[in-house]
Amino acid sequence: MAAVTRRSFSALRVLLTQQYRRRSFGPQNLRLSRTESAPSRWAASLQTSCNRTLQTTVERRRPVVQFKLSDIGEGIMEVTVKEWYVKEGDRVSQFDSICEVQSDKASVTITSRYDGVIRRLYYEADATALVGKPLVDIETESASELSQEDVVETPAMAREEHTHQEIKGHKTQATPAVRRLAMENNIKLSEVVGTGKDGRILKEDILNFLAKQTGAILPPAPLFQEVQTPGPAAAPPLSAPAAVRPPPAAPRPVFTGKDVTEPLKGFHKAMVKTMTAALKIPHFGYCDEVDLSRLVLLRSELKPVAERRGIKLSYLPFFIKAASLSLLHFPILNSTLDEGCQNITFKASHNIGVAMDTSQGLLVPSVKSVQLLSVFQVAQELTRLQALGAAGQLGTAELSGGTFTLSNIGSVLPRFGPDGQVKAAHIMKVSWSADHRLIDGATMCRFSNLWREYLENPASMILDLK
Amino acid sequence: MLSHLRGTFCVLSAGVQRAWSSSSCLFMDPSSPGLVLQSQSTDVFQNLALEDWIDAHVDLQQRSVLLLWRNRPTVVIGRHQNPWAECNLPAMRSAQVPVARRRSGGGTVYHDLGNLNLTFFASKKAYDRRRNLKVVTDALRRVRPQLDIQATDRLDILLNGHYKISGTASRLSRKSSYHHCTLLHSADRSAIAVLLRPSCPGIRSNATPSIPSPVANLSDHAPSLQWEELLEAVVQQYSSEFGLTSSSQCVDPADEALFPGVGSMEAELRSWEWTFGKTPKFSVETQLELRDERPAARCSAQLQLEVKNGRVESCRVEVPATWLPERLSASLAQALLGERFCPHRAAAALSALLRCESGPLHSRLHNLCDVLVAAMG
């Protein structure tokens, strides 16, 4: 009984000491030649209850390896370090990329041979690194991962032969931990599609493969076999594909779902300023409906004419021109109030902005001087702006100077016809938003009515053409 | 041998089985230690993705592969280069010529359908660029013995000792390598002069610079040399140098069944994060010329920008206080922080700011915005 207690106590001690890590750990504290004798000494010292001894032996058990820059070939002796993929304190797995170096038009990716934690980078970016000299220090996790000399080929090859077969002509990349997991579950790595970098197989890929086979999500197999806690269904091997395991108490999370906070920058920061300024102005809204049936007919007649001239005609040019014609009767809608609310400026040009959804967000380029343009010319300019918007090429000239804006989101609504039947009609809902300091409800209403009349009866636009 | 391996694949699901058996047939014919592939695509991103795929998935310890490809007009920069310093991005946008960043090192090149690209895949141990170039020079000498063709120490190939007809770059991974080079058959040389110049003034960076050289087309000096003849000569020379028996095969780099995962490799190569975000840190320092129309006046300002990972990390705009109050030029500089170093992103951010400012200074502010955007290429 006492012996059993001591053994389980040892197991617990192992668990505790493995989890305890010292912060700073310089290579001068370690001598590699001592590691072979370390395990036996450690086992003996476990019997004592002296904490400090335990900690000292934990230090010796976690060695730091100097990972040297291996030979690149062609007699090259030095390279330039171009980009680091890791920093001090980062955890790396075997085959993870550590850095990118360049020499004589060759770009070389240096990958790690060990699992462990990066403890020191020997060079900064753009520095010259020497072949055969240390590149990084890696604190590895167990003594078995060490070797005296940093040769890229041999230990990795041995490990691959050991764990899983490679299908000839296709190499499968996976860390030793992943290979162990696959082996425990009798999975051939060649059957798993890797979603990691360079097609590498990750732990998630093995778990997904398992889940597909059984239809259940399994908890990950414990990687340290020393910890034999009697947990719920602790990773039984998959023998019967038909068996459905009950879901475990703590399901494997698919993603972390953590909140991410980052500072507001650039365009979005500028938009905050714009919108905040806009809110200082009292707004009111006015809604209406426009029956576009006649405009639809007109457009279908004019569309081929415009196409012959190389332009695709939409409804927007008509909306814009009708707005400009209406502004001629209600110039107050094309005006601004200065900062001190002292002076009102009636803008001569009708620069009508059109809201566009682009990859940069919502932008409002404007068609300049619509009062001077025909419907066709407005269509041409719109086409130009839309092309620029789609290519992400709108400049300050296009994006500024707007005095009046249209945002188009029309839709077809059903209507009751004169005979009481439901029929399709081209009804567009419109809502206007205006600065209440300058514009009253009645003016807005009259403007909207005029605009609506032009659109419901497009022929009337001809009367007011200039 | 092949049938045994096919048997092993039976346990796979149908889609994957088709994939592995197709590509394994392509890459595993034991009778041949090498393979010559020709890409059917002229899209630079698809072709670069195919290079990545072969490098990652083919066991090059047993065999070597030659890939022949060409692209529609594109500018291709090296892994560690600065696209704003190397090529004229505004001119390229108008001409609809994309820029691509490859994974190998070296300098910037212009590709079009008159340029042949050759990629020699081998294990890291078998990496030998001079041997690969010898394939090209021997092939050329065989079909046109009168041409003076030499490979240099810098691994260029020169015609008549003076004109560069081929440049080299390579990439080494953990166990594999590839070496690719261009070969100018009939490329548009005037485009090179226009497109391969900086996008904006005042760039200071430690990125790999390109070394410009006078170039020539093979077709200028050997007009009878057809494209097909050149290809055939190279394939034959490669086969005899590396001891192959198989002839070349055409492949479609977008074929996900043949090359599973190639689509996501292509997407990464197209992404802004790869093409621009991978630019080493650089700074821009330049003078801005400001002007006002009413009344006519001029002024000089200083712009200083630091760009990291393709985004503006710090920005200072020094405008004389008599021209614009400091708070305005400071708020403009602020608006650019964190945005991509891109004239369109800058225009969007600055326009949003411009809307907030009205009054007599508006035109000067607008002018400053325009000049700032122009300075960003």
Side-chain angles (χ1 to χ4, degrees), chain A residues 115-128:
Chain A
D115 292 342
V117 178
I118 301 285
R119 284 294 171 217
R120 183 178 165 187
L121 305 182
Y122 280 77
Y123 302 100
E124 304 222 331
D126 287 329
T128 304

Side-chain angles (χ1 to χ4, degrees), chain A residues 33-75:
Chain A
S33 55
R34 282 240 201 124
T35 47
E36 278 169 352
S37 55
S40 53
R41 235 204 275 176
W42 167 79
S45 58
L46 247 193
Q47 302 307 315
T48 70
S49 51
C50 174
N51 260 352
R52 203 188 303 167
T53 318
L54 268 174
Q55 285 176 21
T56 320
T57 51
V58 164
E59 275 180 42
R60 289 216 184 97
R61 194 170 147 71
R62 196 157 300 110
V64 168
V65 182
Q66 277 186 342
F67 179 62
K68 298 197 181 85
L69 181 59
S70 53
D71 185 23
I72 290 180
E74 293 187 341

